[in-house]
mmCIF file of all heavy atoms in Angstrom:
data_model
loop_
_atom_site.group_PDB
_atom_site.id
_atom_site.type_symbol
_atom_site.label_atom_id
_atom_site.label_comp_id
_atom_site.label_asym_id
_atom_site.label_seq_id
_atom_site.Cartn_x
_atom_site.Cartn_y
_atom_site.Cartn_z
ATOM 1 N N TYR S 1863 -22.350 6.535 -29.477
ATOM 2 C CA TYR S 1863 -22.412 7.932 -29.920
ATOM 3 C C TYR S 1863 -23.816 8.520 -29.730
ATOM 4 O O TYR S 1863 -23.967 9.680 -29.359
ATOM 5 C CB TYR S 1863 -21.987 8.034 -31.396
ATOM 6 C CG TYR S 1863 -20.483 8.070 -31.611
ATOM 7 C CD1 TYR S 1863 -19.928 8.048 -32.885
ATOM 8 C CD2 TYR S 1863 -19.609 8.137 -30.520
ATOM 9 C CE1 TYR S 1863 -18.552 8.089 -33.088
ATOM 10 C CE2 TYR S 1863 -18.236 8.182 -30.716
ATOM 11 C CZ TYR S 1863 -17.705 8.149 -31.993
ATOM 12 O OH TYR S 1863 -16.350 8.197 -32.174
ATOM 13 N N LEU S 1864 -24.859 7.707 -29.981
ATOM 14 C CA LEU S 1864 -26.230 8.186 -29.779
ATOM 15 C C LEU S 1864 -26.485 8.502 -28.306
ATOM 16 O O LEU S 1864 -27.116 9.505 -27.968
ATOM 17 C CB LEU S 1864 -27.244 7.135 -30.275
ATOM 18 C CG LEU S 1864 -27.322 6.966 -31.805
ATOM 19 C CD1 LEU S 1864 -28.145 5.749 -32.170
ATOM 20 C CD2 LEU S 1864 -27.891 8.218 -32.471
ATOM 21 N N LYS S 1865 -25.915 7.656 -27.420
ATOM 22 C CA LYS S 1865 -26.091 7.887 -25.972
ATOM 23 C C LYS S 1865 -25.280 9.105 -25.514
ATOM 24 O O LYS S 1865 -25.672 9.802 -24.586
ATOM 25 C CB LYS S 1865 -25.700 6.636 -25.181
ATOM 26 C CG LYS S 1865 -26.802 5.574 -25.263
ATOM 27 C CD LYS S 1865 -26.480 4.306 -24.525
ATOM 28 C CE LYS S 1865 -27.717 3.407 -24.544
ATOM 29 N NZ LYS S 1865 -27.463 2.041 -24.883
ATOM 30 N N ALA S 1866 -24.155 9.367 -26.189
ATOM 31 C CA ALA S 1866 -23.357 10.567 -25.864
ATOM 32 C C ALA S 1866 -24.107 11.831 -26.291
ATOM 33 O O ALA S 1866 -24.111 12.836 -25.582
ATOM 34 C CB ALA S 1866 -21.993 10.498 -26.547
ATOM 35 N N LEU S 1867 -24.753 11.789 -27.463
ATOM 36 C CA LEU S 1867 -25.522 12.940 -27.961
ATOM 37 C C LEU S 1867 -26.734 13.235 -27.063
ATOM 38 O O LEU S 1867 -27.148 14.368 -26.910
ATOM 39 C CB LEU S 1867 -26.010 12.690 -29.397
ATOM 40 C CG LEU S 1867 -24.952 12.800 -30.495
ATOM 41 C CD1 LEU S 1867 -25.473 12.252 -31.812
ATOM 42 C CD2 LEU S 1867 -24.476 14.247 -30.678
ATOM 43 N N GLU S 1868 -27.273 12.166 -26.451
ATOM 44 C CA GLU S 1868 -28.436 12.337 -25.557
ATOM 45 C C GLU S 1868 -28.019 12.793 -24.162
ATOM 46 O O GLU S 1868 -28.874 13.128 -23.339
ATOM 47 C CB GLU S 1868 -29.205 11.019 -25.446
ATOM 48 C CG GLU S 1868 -29.973 10.663 -26.703
ATOM 49 C CD GLU S 1868 -30.398 9.203 -26.714
ATOM 50 O OE1 GLU S 1868 -30.499 8.612 -25.622
ATOM 51 O OE2 GLU S 1868 -30.628 8.658 -27.802
ATOM 52 N N GLY S 1869 -26.721 12.736 -23.866
ATOM 53 C CA GLY S 1869 -26.255 13.164 -22.542
ATOM 54 C C GLY S 1869 -26.289 12.069 -21.497
ATOM 55 O O GLY S 1869 -26.170 12.321 -20.306
ATOM 56 N N VAL S 1870 -26.427 10.794 -21.955
ATOM 57 C CA VAL S 1870 -26.426 9.670 -21.009
ATOM 58 C C VAL S 1870 -25.001 9.428 -20.511
ATOM 59 O O VAL S 1870 -24.764 9.178 -19.339
ATOM 60 C CB VAL S 1870 -26.990 8.390 -21.677
ATOM 61 C CG1 VAL S 1870 -26.881 7.187 -20.746
ATOM 62 C CG2 VAL S 1870 -28.426 8.600 -22.109
ATOM 63 N N THR S 1871 -24.041 9.511 -21.425
ATOM 64 C CA THR S 1871 -22.632 9.299 -21.079
ATOM 65 C C THR S 1871 -21.773 10.304 -21.849
ATOM 66 O O THR S 1871 -22.284 11.118 -22.613
ATOM 67 C CB THR S 1871 -22.210 7.843 -21.393
ATOM 68 O OG1 THR S 1871 -20.877 7.625 -20.904
ATOM 69 C CG2 THR S 1871 -22.246 7.548 -22.888
ATOM 70 N N SER S 1872 -20.464 10.249 -21.631
ATOM 71 C CA SER S 1872 -19.564 11.203 -22.297
ATOM 72 C C SER S 1872 -18.874 10.544 -23.487
ATOM 73 O O SER S 1872 -18.758 9.321 -23.549
ATOM 74 C CB SER S 1872 -18.502 11.694 -21.301
ATOM 75 O OG SER S 1872 -17.631 10.622 -20.968
ATOM 76 N N ILE S 1873 -18.400 11.344 -24.399
ATOM 77 C CA ILE S 1873 -17.702 10.825 -25.585
ATOM 78 C C ILE S 1873 -16.417 10.096 -25.163
ATOM 79 O O ILE S 1873 -16.019 9.101 -25.766
ATOM 80 C CB ILE S 1873 -17.406 11.974 -26.599
ATOM 81 C CG1 ILE S 1873 -16.959 11.413 -27.965
ATOM 82 C CG2 ILE S 1873 -16.368 12.950 -26.069
ATOM 83 C CD1 ILE S 1873 -18.082 10.855 -28.786
ATOM 84 N N GLU S 1874 -15.777 10.574 -24.081
ATOM 85 C CA GLU S 1874 -14.536 9.934 -23.590
ATOM 86 C C GLU S 1874 -14.794 8.490 -23.173
ATOM 87 O O GLU S 1874 -13.981 7.600 -23.398
ATOM 88 C CB GLU S 1874 -13.952 10.710 -22.404
ATOM 89 C CG GLU S 1874 -13.358 12.059 -22.735
ATOM 90 C CD GLU S 1874 -14.404 13.151 -22.893
ATOM 91 O OE1 GLU S 1874 -15.585 12.936 -22.521
ATOM 92 O OE2 GLU S 1874 -14.043 14.241 -23.394
ATOM 93 N N GLU S 1875 -15.960 8.252 -22.528
ATOM 94 C CA GLU S 1875 -16.312 6.904 -22.092
ATOM 95 C C GLU S 1875 -16.505 5.974 -23.291
ATOM 96 O O GLU S 1875 -16.058 4.829 -23.270
ATOM 97 C CB GLU S 1875 -17.611 6.938 -21.266
ATOM 98 C CG GLU S 1875 -17.415 7.279 -19.816
ATOM 99 C CD GLU S 1875 -16.610 6.229 -19.070
ATOM 100 O OE1 GLU S 1875 -17.143 5.160 -18.764
ATOM 101 O OE2 GLU S 1875 -15.427 6.474 -18.793
#
Side-chain angles (χ1 to χ4, degrees):
Y1863 278 175
L1864 289 169
K1865 283 179 173 134
L1867 285 168
E1868 288 164 23
V1870 175
T1871 187
S1872 68
I1873 192 76
E1874 290 80 12
E1875 276 295 285

